[in-house]
Amino acid sequence: MNPKETSIVKVAIDVPIDDFFDYQCEENVAFGQAVLVPFGSRKVIGIVVEIDSSTELEAHQIKKIIRVDDDILLNEELFKLFKFVSSYYHYPIGQTIHIAVPSNLKKTEKVLNKKSYIYEATDLLNKSAIDQISARKKNLIEIAKVIFKEKQTDEALKTISINWKKYVKELITLNFVREREYQKTKIIQKTTALKLNQEQSEIYEKIIAAQGFEAFLIYGITGSGKTEVYMHLIEQYVKNNGQVLILVPEINLTPQLEDRFTSRFSNYLVISLHSQLTQKKRLENWEQAKNGKAQIIIGTRLSVFTPFKNLKAIIMDEEQDLSFKQHDKLRYHARDVAMMRAKLLNIPFIAGSATPSIEIWHRSVNENKLLLHKLSIRAVKDATLPKINLIKDETNLENEGISEYVISAIKHHLSLHQQILIFINRRGYAPVLFCSSCGWYASCSRCSSKLVVHRSKQHLRCHHCDYQRGIDSSCKVCGNVDLMSLGSGTQKVEERIRKLFPKAQVRRVDRDTIKTKASLDALYQDMSDKKIDILVGTQMLSKGHDFPNLSLVVVLDSDNALYSSDFRASERLFSQLVQVAGRAGRGSIPGEVIIQTNFPEHPLYQSVKNQDYESFASEEINLRKELNFPPFCFQAVLRAESKNKKNVENFINHVYSMAKQINTEDVEVFHPVQPFLDRLKGFERYQIYYHSKNRSSLNKFLNFLKVEIHANKQLNKVKWYLDIDPVDF
Ligand code: ADP
Ligand code: ZN
Ligand code: ZN
């Protein structure tokens, strides 16, 4: 056939080449439609991005589309967004477009929908039955234990082991477990809107009056009723089939939050989009967002790329949260993408936080790019901000990191039958296994990091690559058998607290004990049922939830961040402390916070004590201005890694001299350096920072540099990528 008579279409394919691909098509296709195409020796699903196109390929070079699917995966609005995102973050366009498409739509073989199951214990499953399982079958035991504790869904079991099916089958054969088909039905009580207070209504009125794109920042102390404001806004936006996207941090998307929206908006479909959904559920929700059936969509960062039918506003809660920035592949920041999307759709963007990021604060206060609104009092009647005490850390090895002051405060709150949260941002037992006679410590063989002692599983673990091994019984250098577990993590604090308060119900909460949203849900239930007196946990606990009976928060060991070389470390520490302090006194019981530190006079702790975000932020901004750091410059970093140190050194030096030769006055090229972890998962790492006052100069410069690197075949032996507006060192 003569290719001139059939149509040529351009197709976006999920490959690392920054271009579209031409195919010949003999059927009718629409923009955004999924097609199966030959690509090299493979067949892949692509997305049509141009119809009736022309091609520079010769007739014999052009291949035919194999199959046209019904699914429309892209619309013009998203296409514009993806083009911007791809060029801004220097990520290939095809891969960018494919980023948020549910993978089950991209199967080259069509699959059937699967059912969901729930697994529950039979009468035969009990403690002694579990004890009789061979100790070698660790996964089998773990799965038996969790099912024994409470019934589990297939989704939950999946997170324990990828071979969960095999183990569950074995348990079913043993008659320990039975399987039931499962349908999610949850009875949720209806709630009605609260009457907004003065501050809340002022904000509400301003935002609802917005015509088209406008950006707002709600700076409201913890518990000031930001969520209530969002809900009042949503009520307006969803009228006439409107949709609202609510972006929340990974850790905040708990069933409670969903329930809070579901119960308020019982006449509308509320859905969530996050990484813990099954593929089937994710696809179902994605479709409902796309066809407009779901009107309230609560999602984590990736949901910013969801297709919508009639989006009226984007709300981003806890704007400062680190999980909004993606750390691999397409390294986007959901906040900036969301603002761009709101602009393209000409709808309002509303960010909320008790401790906004310094960037956003600067853009609001000094540049007027977002309209700033403040909520300065707690919304619940009589609730006040907790009093924060800074206590000099006078602990020694004997009292193992918990001071007398803290111990007596815990006693006092226990005697009042109130709940206590002890916050330590390090999981495991101790961060270092140390030999006091020669100074040796256990380190990871694949990363430049120390191994963390885990008591509960009796092993050492690398928190960067998850390498694990048994705990050394003697020093590898001098043979000393008296090794010390230095410092403390959640497990050590838990152990100590149990010893000190044997009658109290103590629960540890960290990534080792909480693996699924369901287990987090159960924890919140136990808290509200008062089955827990003392919670010991990491930042997993620092956000999002109301524990009305929680009156004391203790912060241990947060000084580390003061020594960090990362210029954002103090911003993060401030935010974390304010968040965790905000857990106390949410109800009508007054709250108390104790921060145990070696530096009670440090200005950062002083501003936390005074709960004075604004003066902290203005100090930070002055400092950044002096140092010429973001937000006073735009930053990008090129990172490279290789198993071979020589290769990566050659590469980085070469790139450095290439960059130096690119003629630009606007871009400052820094010397290559090794990141904080100079070796990770066996890879040696280097990076080069680029700064510019001018975003588009920086972008042009990077485009130029990319071309040069790609042109130099010899350089392409190492893995490298660009990270735009990086947030980690
Ligand atoms: P934030 O999101 O700022 O942390 P929330 O919206 O979760 O705050 O509100 C904190 C608490 O205050 C919740 O228990 C909420 O029900 C209550 N609340 C919020 N607004 C009001 C109001 N206008 N009147 C009474 N209680 C309110
Ligand atoms: Zn030694
Ligand atoms: Zn490691």
Side-chain angles (χ1 to χ4, degrees):
M1 193 183 294
N2 184 343
K4 271 182 198 154
E5 287 174 18
T6 57
S7 91
I8 302 292
V9 296
K10 289 200 187 296
V11 175
I13 294 178
D14 195 359
V15 290
I17 296 170
D18 201 13
D19 210 346
F20 300 120
F21 297 87
D22 297 340
Y23 286 91
Q24 186 182 320
C25 186
E26 292 161 354
E27 285 176 63
N28 277 333
V29 282
F31 179 88
Q33 197 152 9
V35 288
L36 184 68
V37 294
F39 188 81
S41 56
R42 294 182 296 153
K43 290 174 190 167
V44 296
I45 294 287
I47 301 172
V48 174
V49 294
E50 205 177 300
I51 316 169
D52 292 331
S53 178
S54 58
T55 184
E56 283 162 18
L57 295 177
E58 305 266 340
H60 69 273
Q61 289 176 307
I62 189 153
K63 292 182 189 161
K64 275 186 201 164
I65 283 177
I66 301 168
R67 186 184 80 207
V68 177
D69 289 352
D70 293 338
D71 309 303
I72 303 284
L73 304 181
L74 184 70
N75 59 33
E76 295 280 359
E77 176 252 321
L78 268 178
F79 188 45
K80 261 191 213 152
L81 182 75
F82 283 132
K83 280 197 283 196
F84 161 78
V85 166
S86 158
S87 86
Y88 185 83
Y89 291 105
H90 294 270
Y91 196 68
I93 183 72
Q95 288 180 304
T96 305
I97 288 176
H98 278 266
I99 194 107
V101 177
S103 51
N104 22 2
L105 281 180
K106 296 196 287 189
K107 295 261 158 60
T108 49
E109 306 294 330
K110 294 278 173 185
V111 286
L112 295 170
N113 272 349
K114 279 201 244 111
K115 289 178 178 158
S116 304
Y117 291 97
I118 197 157
Y119 298 92
E120 55 192 10
T122 63
D123 294 341
L124 294 179
L125 185 64
N126 52 35
K127 251 187 152 355
S128 68
I130 293 173
D131 287 343
Q132 277 163 26
I133 301 175
S134 156
R136 278 182 303 120
K137 299 185 169 177
K138 284 197 183 115
N139 284 322
L140 188 69
I141 293 175
E142 188 166 354
I143 287 183
K145 276 186 179 162
V146 295
I147 295 177
F148 176 58
K149 216 167 163 196
E150 61 185 323
K151 53 181 183 260
Q152 299 284 332
T153 61
D154 42 9
E155 293 167 42
L157 293 176
K158 225 174 266 175
T159 61
I160 297 174
S161 160
I162 45 166
N163 293 322
W164 67 279
K165 264 193 187 145
K166 186 182 107 194
Y167 302 117
V168 167
K169 271 219 177 97
E170 198 169 337
L171 293 170
I172 293 175
T173 321
L174 289 166
N175 260 331
F176 284 170
V177 165
R178 75 173 82 85
E179 178 184 79
R180 270 196 301 119
E181 207 180 304
Y182 150 76
Q183 242 138 28
K184 208 178 162 191
T185 46
K186 211 171 182 180
I187 298 153
I188 291 171
Q189 281 196 333
K190 263 189 163 180
T191 54
T192 49
L194 299 169
K195 189 173 179 306
L196 294 181
N197 63 32
Q198 175 84 21
E199 281 185 329
Q200 286 172 316
S201 348
E202 279 169 21
I203 294 176
Y204 167 82
E205 294 297 340
K206 285 250 175 62
I207 297 177
I208 215 72
Q211 301 286 327
F213 173 73
E214 255 182 81
F216 298 92
L217 173 63
I218 304 179
Y219 157 56
I221 60 167
T222 53
S224 59
K226 296 182 286 294
T227 313
E228 193 60 40
V229 174
Y230 305 152
M231 294 205 282
H232 277 253
L233 291 167
I234 291 166
E235 224 168 282
Q236 295 305 314
Y237 295 135
V238 291
K239 285 183 179 165
N240 304 320
N241 299 318
Q243 293 175 294
V244 184
L245 172 65
I246 303 129
L247 292 165
V248 298
E250 199 71 55
I251 218 164
N252 283 29
L253 219 172
T254 56
Q256 273 82 0
L257 185 79
E258 262 186 87
D259 291 354
R260 196 169 163 191
F261 281 86
T262 311
S263 56
R264 175 68 69 84
F265 298 102
S266 49
N267 297 332
Y268 298 94
L269 180 59
V270 179
I271 59 158
S272 66
L273 284 170
H274 57 83
S275 56
Q276 284 208 5
L277 295 176
T278 56
Q279 289 205 5
K280 180 188 153 207
K281 190 69 190 157
R282 178 152 174 250
L283 174 61
E284 186 186 319
N285 288 358
W286 187 85
E287 295 275 6
Q288 284 174 325
K290 191 172 85 153
N291 64 27
K293 285 204 180 107
Q295 288 184 260
I296 298 166
I297 298 93
I298 313 174
T300 52
R301 63 173 180 257
L302 188 62
S303 62
V304 77
F305 295 114
T306 310
F308 297 102
K309 195 166 181 206
N310 189 17
L311 193 65
K312 294 289 188 198
I314 304 178
I315 295 170
M316 177 175 248
D317 194 29
E318 306 280 5
E319 169 279 322
Q320 84 294 345
D321 195 89
L322 296 179
S323 75
F324 286 127
K325 169 89 172 158
Q326 164 118 341
H327 290 287
D328 63 349
K329 297 182 182 150
L330 174 59
R331 294 174 168 78
Y332 65 98
H333 199 302
R335 179 228 300 138
D336 299 326
V337 175
M339 276 173 90
M340 188 38 128
R341 188 156 190 201
K343 215 179 262 179
L344 288 171
L345 283 168
N346 202 26
I347 57 173
F349 169 79
I350 302 126
S353 175
T355 55
S357 68
I358 294 295
E359 275 89 351
I360 279 291
W361 186 251
H362 175 69
R363 279 197 240 167
S364 311
V365 177
N366 301 329
E367 299 181 338
N368 285 323
K369 287 189 180 149
L370 294 92
L371 281 178
L372 175 66
H373 295 281
K374 296 181 195 175
L375 287 176
S376 55
I377 50 166
R378 281 198 157 173
V380 168
K381 196 167 173 288
D382 297 333
T384 49
L385 278 180
K387 183 170 166 15
I388 299 181
N389 289 314
L390 300 169
I391 297 302
K392 174 101 175 131
D393 187 351
E394 273 160 354
T395 57
N396 47 41
L397 280 179
E398 241 141 79
N399 53 19
E400 289 179 66
I402 302 174
S403 64
E404 282 306 320
Y405 186 95
V406 168
I407 293 170
S408 64
I410 294 175
K411 265 190 201 142
H412 175 66
H413 285 258
L414 282 177
S415 74
L416 298 172
H417 302 287
Q418 292 166 358
Q419 291 165 312
I420 295 147
L421 164 64
I422 301 178
F423 174 79
I424 172 154
N425 212 4
R426 194 187 290 121
R427 67 200 165 94
Y429 186 80
V432 200
L433 185 67
F434 179 75
C435 169
S436 57
S437 68
C438 79
W440 171 88
Y441 55 83
S443 58
C444 179
S445 55
R446 309 166 64 209
C447 310
S448 50
S449 66
K450 298 185 178 79
L451 291 174
V452 176
V453 185
H454 280 248
R455 262 295 164 81
S456 51
K457 295 213 164 141
Q458 286 296 336
H459 66 198
L460 295 170
R461 192 188 304 170
C462 173
H463 282 189
H464 298 283
C465 71
D466 219 32
Y467 164 83
Q468 301 171 10
R469 71 160 200 251
I471 299 178
D472 302 309
S473 53
S474 61
C475 171
K476 293 246 159 130
V477 175
C478 74
N480 173 17
V481 290
D482 217 7
L483 296 179
M484 298 198 313
S485 298
L486 281 191
S488 27
T490 46
Q491 291 176 9
K492 198 188 235 180
V493 172
E494 178 197 13
E495 183 184 280
R496 175 89 184 120
I497 290 290
R498 282 187 195 279
K499 251 187 238 154
L500 285 165
F501 305 100
K503 286 195 196 128
Q505 292 299 319
V506 180
R507 187 79 63 86
R508 172 163 61 89
V509 182
D510 54 30
R511 259 201 288 144
D512 300 317
T513 62
I514 301 281
K515 292 191 171 149
T516 63
K517 296 222 183 284
S519 48
L520 195 58
D521 198 17
L523 175 89
Y524 285 116
Q525 196 57 49
D526 289 349
M527 266 308 267
S528 69
D529 295 346
K530 300 195 185 165
K531 286 185 187 156
I532 300 170
D533 298 313
I534 306 177
L535 272 180
V536 175
T538 59
Q539 62 170 355
M540 212 167 199
L541 284 175
S542 65
K543 288 182 200 150
H545 282 273
D546 270 358
F547 301 125
N549 197 46
L550 191 130
S551 60
L552 174 64
V553 170
V554 176
V555 178
L556 299 176
D557 219 356
S558 59
D559 291 342
N560 278 331
L562 301 175
Y563 320 127
S564 171
S565 58
D566 183 346
F567 71 91
R568 285 193 183 84
S570 42
E571 173 183 354
R572 283 174 197 161
L573 178 59
F574 186 93
S575 162
Q576 205 167 60
L577 292 175
V578 168
Q579 291 287 350
V580 70
R583 292 313 98 204
R586 310 258 309 177
S588 47
I589 311 171
E592 179 182 359
V593 178
I594 303 171
I595 300 175
Q596 183 181 293
T597 164
N598 280 308
F599 312 101
E601 298 307 322
H602 194 285
L604 187 141
Y605 285 128
Q606 288 297 322
S607 41
V608 171
K609 180 184 160 85
N610 301 325
Q611 317 212 27
D612 187 359
Y613 168 80
E614 292 185 50
S615 69
F616 166 78
S618 78
E619 284 288 306
E620 260 316 286
I621 287 176
N622 287 340
L623 194 69
R624 302 235 186 131
K625 191 169 187 176
E626 233 167 76
L627 300 172
N628 202 12
F629 274 137
F632 295 93
C633 76
F634 298 104
Q635 204 178 41
V637 59
L638 180 143
R639 302 189 207 271
E641 56 181 43
S642 165
K643 295 216 161 158
N644 180 319
K645 191 161 184 179
K646 268 256 128 27
N647 282 353
V648 64
E649 277 173 355
N650 281 342
F651 173 87
I652 209 80
N653 290 330
H654 210 110
V655 170
Y656 176 66
S657 58
M658 273 184 337
K660 277 291 197 194
Q661 277 160 25
I662 296 175
N663 191 4
T664 155
E665 287 163 12
D666 283 356
V667 178
E668 194 178 354
V669 177
F670 286 76
H671 235 276
V673 285
Q674 291 213 275
F676 173 66
L677 271 182
D678 51 4
R679 192 154 40 84
L680 182 65
K681 300 181 186 179
F683 284 86
E684 301 287 342
R685 310 160 82 210
Y686 275 91
Q687 57 194 19
I688 302 180
Y689 276 89
Y690 308 99
H691 281 192
S692 178
K693 291 265 176 228
N694 184 321
R695 203 181 263 304
S696 74
S697 306
L698 183 61
N699 198 37
K700 265 190 220 137
F701 166 86
L702 295 173
N703 276 328
F704 213 80
L705 186 64
K706 261 192 329 194
V707 172
E708 298 237 325
I709 299 174
H710 284 304
N712 196 330
K713 287 267 179 313
Q714 181 205 338
L715 285 179
N716 289 315
K717 273 189 272 182
V718 305
K719 275 212 298 207
W720 65 275
Y721 60 84
L722 290 167
D723 189 356
I724 311 301
D725 308 327
V727 295
D728 53 353
F729 256 46

